[in-house]
Amino acid sequence: MPEKKEKFYLTTPIYYTNGLPHIGHTYTTVVADVIRRYKRMRGYDVVMTTGTDEHGVNVERAAKKAGVPESEFVAKMAEAWRALWDELGIPGDEFIRTTDITHVRTVQWLFKLCRENGYVYKGHYTGQYCIYDNAFVNDAKPGDNCPDCGRPLETVTEENYFFKLSSFQKPLLDFYKKNPDFIQPDTRRNEIISFVEGGLKDLSITRTTIRWGIPVPGEEPHVFYVWFDALTAYLSAVGGPEYEKRGYWPADLHLVGKDIIRFHTVYWPAFLMAAMLPVPKQVWAHGWFLMDAAKMSKSKGNVVLPRPIVNMLGMDALRYFLLRDVVFGQDGNFSYDALVTRYNSDLANGLGNLASRTLTMIEKYFGGIVPAADAAAEIQEGFWGDVKGLAQALAQSDQAVGSSVIWRYEKCNFSNALEAIWTLVALVDANLSSWKPWALAEYPGKRGILAAVLYNAAEALRFIAVLAHPVLPDSTAVLWKQLGQTGRLDDVRIDQLNWGQLKAGTTISRDKSLFPRVDKTEAIERIEAMANEELNPPKAAPAPAPSAPAAGASAAVAVAPTVSDKIGIEDFAKVEMRVGQIKTAERIVGADKLLKLTVDIGTEIRQICAGIAQYYEPESLIGRKVAVVVNLAPRKLRGVESNGMIVAASVGPEGRPVLTAFLEEVEVGARLK
Ligand SMILES: [Zn+2]
């Protein structure tokens, strides 16, 4: 009989569908995935829910703008979100859409329960309303203008259903007291407690002015308003009214951004208490990733997208950075520079290099077979004793032990967990350097010590693969195979690691490097170029050669080459190429591959960046005539605006750029066809 597993249910927010996911949403979903993997490695039956919040006036408007029915608009959006999570390897086990019929039923059922229990009444809501946008503007005063369209607002009163939130002040405060871990981190708990102590006002939960929403049965045109609808999705995803059959409710953990913590820790438990349903066990609020110290937003144009980073460095690199660089719960700054620096130092030069060194030496000195460590007794007490001791301390499953990585995962202290695992990476690395296996290998009499050194290094790598697996699922699975381990790493129990389980005689392999080192400047340029393209999809077909060499050999993580179908002449005609003459050329501080050029294209002088600095002296370019793609959307390379692209051939494995030239005299501004 299979052992009955304990269930664990966690959720990301149900993301609002008026835009597409950026790194902030990706962060929350990655964290949920890390916890999911960690809990599975502890033997839990885990369900993680994510989804899309699809109702409300903003969606109504966006659909109108796109000229499609709301249902079509949200279906497309939901698909885009789902597809991105699939692509990034972080799909929800459940993906709930607030337009799903199971969700509609659940919201209506929850309302019915609250009403039957006496917590719902009909009242009047008075607010400032924009007739043009058909929307109330929260927090506006009489006489204000609409923040969306600038028209004057009107004071409008409408009939609403209200939820008696005011009745829950005491029950909520009692609940927080009894469940001190309900709101995390602690700073947020104190914030919420003082908010609730300040008194709670009843909450309007329906609208008659919004059309695109879940109808209140028998009370049309009332539809449910925002939170009563959206929050309930967590319950809908695991059975709704039949939640007991599936057995995942109450949720163990809701992960949310700090801006929506109040709704999750005040409204949501109050709705559930009113319906006499079980209340979630924990809500964890994380901080924001700031870009240049500002909150990322589409309107500020400082959005970081996940896909270009993943294409360049791999998903594990992004996951590692997001969890390592910022203490979970606090705000963090996002920069490509920090991302690539982390990648090179911790992953390429750290774990990647250690794995490659160890496996190469086992291959070289022991024919690719893990040697027995029997003769190791004499050195166990020395440096390798430290490694063993550290590895065992990190893998300690007693959750009270502070040095344990498991304890840190349990406390959502991801940054600290990774830091601890990397102390083991550093220690093994230092030991290899001081024991010098390559020197030991020269003395047949030291074969036993050599075997012990390499056995211990390989065994430490096995520990690292298991402990880091929740954060680095792909690369640790590769390492696991390289260490000759069979079975799925996901099925290994993270809390049952014992030193010495690596069997002597195991055949290792060394098929690929885990984290190829990248050239920082070039990696950032390529990520920025891809991000530009995704944010401003080019109207023209891709030009023949990019201005920055696209496939430098040092950027060893290849972007899948796009196989281009043949294009018609009308597609080619979309690319406007003209003869330009270079007026000035200078190097860009901090970007050793880029030149900043000004180019006369006949009608105007353009600033264009080109990735040719390693092959052309700036002075040699002045006056030169080149082919320029002039209708490329402007983009920023290393922070410098580039308005067009210089055409160059890409030669040899390093993609050395060779500029086009004209053998006959051509006029500046002449079109290339
Ligand atoms: Zn308006």
Side-chain angles (χ1 to χ4, degrees):
M1 274 270 288
E3 177 195 356
K4 198 161 181 293
K5 288 181 170 181
E6 206 176 318
K7 290 185 160 78
F8 189 89
Y9 178 41
L10 81 160
T11 67
T12 73
I14 306 301
Y15 300 112
Y16 198 60
T17 44
N18 62 343
L20 286 171
H22 59 60
I23 211 86
H25 311 106
T26 308
Y27 178 51
T28 320
T29 311
V30 162
V31 169
D33 180 65
V34 169
I35 296 171
R36 163 170 61 179
R37 288 174 187 277
Y38 162 70
K39 284 287 177 183
R40 284 192 178 142
M41 291 178 86
R42 299 233 31 205
Y44 285 85
D45 165 12
V46 187
V47 165
M48 168 188 141
T49 286
T50 187
T52 41
D53 176 4
E54 306 182 359
H55 289 126
V57 74
N58 289 326
V59 166
E60 223 175 275
R61 263 187 244 164
K64 196 173 173 190
K65 206 171 150 195
V68 294
E70 288 92 351
S71 57
E72 198 176 301
F73 179 83
V74 294
K76 265 200 186 135
M77 280 301 206
E79 212 31 60
W81 282 75
R82 194 200 300 257
L84 181 71
W85 300 145
D86 283 349
E87 187 186 328
L88 298 180
I90 47 177
D93 303 303
E94 295 293 341
F95 188 97
I96 187 81
R97 298 179 50 192
T98 59
T99 51
D100 285 343
I101 185 68
T102 57
H103 176 68
V104 171
R105 278 183 54 223
T106 305
V107 172
Q108 294 174 341
W109 167 74
L110 183 70
F111 177 76
K112 188 169 155 271
L113 293 178
C114 292
R115 194 180 194 179
E116 282 168 2
N117 293 338
Y119 293 107
V120 168
Y121 64 93
K122 210 179 239 185
H124 288 92
Y125 173 83
T126 299
Q128 300 307 308
Y129 187 81
C130 173
I131 293 179
Y132 177 80
D133 289 320
N134 289 322
F136 280 101
V137 177
N138 294 329
D139 307 325
K141 295 182 300 296
D144 283 358
N145 288 332
C146 170
D148 285 320
C149 69
R151 291 174 172 83
L153 295 168
E154 289 182 23
T155 303
V156 168
T157 296
E158 72 163 2
E159 190 187 66
N160 284 172
Y161 278 98
F162 280 78
F163 176 79
K164 278 191 192 166
L165 188 61
S166 55
S167 305
F168 289 90
Q169 183 181 27
K170 182 151 191 319
L172 283 169
L173 290 171
D174 289 347
F175 176 73
Y176 302 148
K177 202 170 198 179
K178 254 208 225 138
N179 301 277
D181 289 339
F182 175 64
I183 305 169
Q184 288 292 319
D186 293 346
T187 47
R188 300 282 165 225
R189 182 176 59 239
N190 300 335
E191 229 174 80
I192 295 298
I193 289 176
S194 38
F195 171 76
V196 175
E197 280 170 347
L200 295 172
K201 273 193 228 148
D202 289 350
L203 193 69
S204 143
I205 54 168
T206 70
R207 286 284 185 275
T208 52
T209 43
I210 297 172
R211 208 172 34 78
W212 183 241
I214 296 175
V216 181
E219 305 286 349
E220 291 84 355
H222 282 275
V223 300
F224 290 101
Y225 183 63
V226 190
W227 293 107
F228 199 85
D229 172 351
L231 291 164
T232 307
Y234 301 131
L235 182 53
S236 316
V238 287
E242 287 87 44
Y243 72 93
E244 277 169 306
K245 263 190 228 155
R246 288 196 55 190
Y248 289 98
W249 194 261
D252 293 277
L253 177 62
H254 291 313
L255 288 169
V256 301
K258 64 180 183 182
D259 50 335
I260 53 175
I261 184 130
R262 187 184 295 177
F263 311 113
H264 284 78
T265 56
V266 180
Y267 298 1
W268 184 222
F271 295 159
L272 291 165
M273 285 172 182
M276 308 231 274
L277 292 169
V279 174
K281 294 179 190 157
Q282 191 169 63
V283 179
W284 237 105
H286 63 75
W288 286 326
F289 265 97
L290 308 174
M291 193 69 179
D292 306 323
K295 194 190 174 196
M296 243 175 251
S297 80
K298 214 168 134 191
S299 56
K300 282 194 202 115
N302 63 351
V303 167
V304 176
L305 300 173
R307 205 179 260 123
I309 296 169
V310 172
N311 284 343
M312 183 66 219
L313 301 173
M315 184 60 183
D316 278 8
L318 177 60
R319 294 169 68 106
Y320 182 82
F321 176 76
L322 293 177
L323 293 182
R324 174 67 182 82
D325 242 52
V326 174
V327 173
F328 190 62
Q330 297 175 4
D331 286 344
N333 228 327
F334 189 94
S335 84
Y336 289 130
D337 199 285
L339 166 76
V340 181
T341 301
R342 266 277 174 225
Y343 173 87
N344 275 334
S345 70
D346 293 14
L347 297 178
N349 295 344
L351 178 56
N353 183 51
L354 177 64
S356 150
R357 269 177 109 179
T358 305
L359 296 168
T360 304
M361 289 192 283
I362 291 175
E363 206 163 61
K364 194 164 168 195
Y365 305 132
F366 292 95
I369 310 287
V370 175
D374 299 344
E378 56 185 298
I379 65 160
Q380 288 292 346
E381 301 309 314
F383 291 117
W384 291 101
D386 292 351
V387 168
K388 180 183 169 183
L390 177 59
Q392 284 175 326
L394 296 181
Q396 174 63 251
S397 64
D398 179 350
Q399 288 179 14
V401 176
S403 60
S404 144
V405 168
I406 291 169
W407 171 242
R408 298 174 215 219
Y409 277 134
E410 202 60 44
K411 293 279 162 199
C412 292
N413 199 342
F414 308 110
S415 176
N416 209 237
L418 292 170
E419 204 179 338
I421 298 170
W422 258 253
T423 58
L424 182 58
V425 172
L427 184 61
V428 178
D429 215 31
N431 275 6
L432 283 179
S433 298
S434 63
W435 281 87
K436 298 187 178 60
W438 50 96
L440 294 173
E442 294 187 8
Y443 302 95
K446 302 213 164 158
R447 189 106 181 126
I449 299 180
L450 176 64
V453 166
L454 291 180
Y455 176 86
N456 282 292
E459 177 61 339
L461 279 174
R462 191 180 66 89
F463 267 63
I464 292 164
V466 174
L467 293 173
H469 184 62
V471 179
L472 301 174
D474 299 341
S475 43
T476 52
V478 171
L479 177 58
W480 188 247
K481 276 230 168 68
Q482 291 180 336
L483 288 167
Q485 302 302 299
T486 51
R488 283 154 36 93
L489 184 46
D490 312 65
D491 298 334
V492 174
R493 285 289 293 259
I494 197 170
D495 52 356
Q496 292 174 5
L497 269 170
N498 283 307
W499 190 263
Q501 283 168 331
L502 176 64
K503 288 198 185 68
T506 305
T507 306
I508 58 106
S509 60
R510 196 173 54 83
D511 43 359
K512 65 171 185 178
S513 163
L514 295 179
F515 304 103
R517 214 187 135 71
V518 299
D519 177 274
K520 184 154 94 180
T521 311
E522 200 167 306
I524 294 173
E525 279 169 20
R526 292 187 58 191
I527 292 170
E528 285 182 339
M530 286 187 274
N532 261 308
E533 206 152 300
E534 199 174 323
L535 287 169
N536 315 299
K539 295 208 176 65
S547 63
S554 60
V557 183
V559 177
T562 46
V563 181
S564 54
D565 289 327
K566 289 204 168 67
I567 59 165
I569 185 75
E570 67 286 353
D571 283 331
F572 177 70
K574 289 178 193 160
V575 184
E576 187 182 341
M577 273 192 284
R578 293 190 181 274
V579 175
Q581 187 168 36
I582 297 173
K583 293 297 189 192
T584 65
E586 58 182 285
R587 297 189 183 277
I588 297 172
V589 179
D592 51 4
K593 293 197 169 62
L594 279 185
L595 287 185
K596 184 165 87 179
L597 311 172
T598 50
V599 183
D600 182 355
I601 57 165
T603 48
E604 59 183 305
I605 308 270
R606 291 275 188 91
Q607 174 171 299
I608 300 178
C609 294
I612 57 175
Q614 292 180 318
Y615 302 94
Y616 289 93
E617 284 303 320
E619 310 76 59
S620 73
L621 292 169
I622 313 287
R624 180 162 177 165
K625 285 179 180 164
V626 290
V628 181
V629 178
V630 298
N631 63 339
L632 195 68
R635 51 195 191 137
K636 272 194 172 164
L637 296 170
R638 304 289 279 159
V640 180
E641 177 149 318
S642 182
N643 196 0
M645 186 163 84
I646 308 284
V647 177
S650 179
V651 178
E654 305 91 54
R656 176 169 65 89
V658 177
L659 293 174
T660 50
F662 301 94
L663 294 173
E664 289 151 67
E665 195 48 43
V666 287
E667 206 176 297
V668 168
R671 179 149 189 196
L672 278 73
K673 309 190 188 188

